Amino acid sequence: DPRARVVVQRFHEQWLGVEGVKYLEKDRDAFTPEISGLMQNEFRGFVDQVIWEKPGTLAHLLTAPTTVLNATLAAYYGVPGTFTDELQVASEDPARRAGILTQGALMATLAQASDTHPVARGLMVREKLFCQLPPPPPEGVNTELAKTDVNATIRQRLEQHRADPACAGCHALFDPIGLGLENFDALGRYQTVDDGGLAIDASGNLLGTDVDGPFVGATELAQKLSQSQDVADCAVRHWFRYAAGRTESPADRCNLEFLNAQFSAAQGNIQQLLLAVTQTDAFMFRQLPSAQTAPMPKPPQTEVSP
């Protein structure tokens, strides 16, 4: 059913928080309403192409070296090739872009008006892909980055921020992830030097996960995420919440165990996961109000002729 594609697109937009990409405003003339609208269409087209074509797996969603471009968007990203005004599937340089993490819509959304935002990017991976919620910053702590000299990189500024013991513990969980995505500027384009002309260091590190360890750049990060059982379980949890229209409760343990097992048996196939979601008790049944909180409905009255 064509409506299934719309549901799947909307899920991914809400999951990763890119619903509002076409309303983004940046401090650069290159980022026009036309570009932001095309980014939204690219994101939707990428999701369509990955999930409805083989292999249609979560791993492919995270690592596919393709996207959907037209001539305008290809020129914006600097992707070589022959394009028309229509969006078409295009190969990416796998050393630079691969998977949903490197979508321009996501990278531009997880950035400020003119600067990258490693903290927001790292938090997204931690919260949305690992389902881990770091504690909020302590009350009264200054969350603003220090105003160091103009030649300092964002990495150096974050290192200074983590020098504060009140900040170090939590920032160690997401800063090194976000710094691994520094090759993408505030407009979602690939870059090798920052605005100050300094070379980008895109080395990062995962801590407190089932795929811990160093990586360099978005594509290496995507490969690690694609091998993570925690990420697979988190994706299942988000699909369950979307289908049920609520967060899970302790009573849903069996539902989630069933879905995790089905997803694993299907080798991460997302279409098979959606079918499995429809077979859960949470999807098929609704709990009736208890007798203490609501009266039982009266049976319908039958008219009797005199």
Side-chain angles (χ1 to χ4, degrees), residues 12 16 43 46-47 60-64 98-103 106:
H12 286 88
L16 300 179
F43 185 90
F46 172 79
V47 168
H60 194 50
L61 182 75
L62 291 166
T63 62
I100 202 164
L101 272 187
T102 61
Q103 282 287 301
L106 182 60

Side-chain angles (χ1 to χ4, degrees), residues 7-276:
V7 169
V8 172
Q9 290 169 1
R10 287 177 178 168
F11 165 77
H12 286 88
E13 287 179 329
Q14 291 181 30
W15 179 22
L16 300 179
V18 300
E19 312 103 301
V21 63
K22 66 180 180 180
Y23 303 113
L24 285 180
E25 294 183 359
K26 301 287 184 177
D27 294 341
R28 311 286 178 87
D29 292 340
F31 195 83
T32 64
E34 180 186 14
I35 289 295
S36 59
L38 284 170
M39 279 183 168
Q40 183 179 56
N41 291 335
E42 177 196 11
F43 185 90
R44 292 172 174 175
F46 172 79
V47 168
D48 264 4
Q49 183 246 334
V50 165
I51 292 180
W52 301 105
E53 304 295 334
K54 293 181 180 178
T57 61
L58 177 63
H60 194 50
L61 182 75
L62 291 166
T63 62
T66 58
T67 190
V68 179
L69 302 175
N70 70 355
T72 301
L73 204 52
Y76 176 79
Y77 289 139
V79 175
T82 302
F83 297 90
T84 67
D85 290 338
E86 300 297 319
L87 291 168
Q88 64 189 66
V89 177
S91 296
E92 299 264 45
D93 179 350
R96 293 187 167 197
R97 290 181 181 266
I100 202 164
L101 272 187
T102 61
Q103 282 287 301
L106 182 60
M107 290 293 96
T109 298
L110 295 171
Q112 297 173 324
S114 59
D115 297 319
T116 61
H117 200 331
V119 173
R121 290 172 175 178
L123 274 172
M124 183 280 297
V125 172
R126 182 70 63 178
E127 295 177 356
K128 301 290 188 177
L129 298 181
F130 283 104
C131 288
Q132 298 177 0
L133 296 177
E139 189 174 349
V141 167
N142 182 13
T143 60
E144 296 295 322
L145 293 184
K147 300 293 184 182
T148 55
D149 74 80
V150 293
N151 294 320
T153 64
I154 187 68
R155 180 181 292 272
Q156 292 167 336
R157 293 171 65 194
L158 282 170
E159 286 174 354
Q160 183 175 351
H161 191 68
R162 288 198 301 275
D164 184 342
C167 303
C170 290
H171 276 264
L173 297 175
F174 40 79
D175 284 3
I177 302 175
L179 289 168
L181 298 170
E182 273 294 284
N183 281 130
F184 295 90
D185 69 9
L187 280 65
R189 302 175 302 188
Y190 190 86
Q191 61 179 358
T192 55
V193 296
D194 65 17
D195 291 340
L198 301 174
I200 298 288
D201 176 3
S203 59
N205 189 55
L206 283 168
L207 178 68
T209 75
D210 60 339
V211 285
D212 281 359
F215 64 89
V216 179
T219 56
E220 284 190 17
L221 172 60
Q223 287 293 334
K224 293 178 78 69
L225 297 176
S226 71
Q227 298 163 12
S228 167
Q229 186 60 51
D230 289 348
V231 170
D233 291 348
C234 184
V236 166
R237 188 179 301 183
H238 280 288
W239 267 115
F240 176 84
R241 292 171 178 174
Y242 189 75
R246 58 175 177 80
T247 56
E248 68 278 6
S249 72
D252 293 310
R253 181 176 58 85
C254 291
N255 286 317
L256 291 172
E257 288 179 354
F258 167 76
L259 290 176
N260 288 337
Q262 293 293 308
F263 197 38
S264 178
Q267 297 182 323
N269 184 278
I270 294 171
Q271 289 190 45
Q272 294 301 313
L273 171 61
L274 302 190
L275 290 174

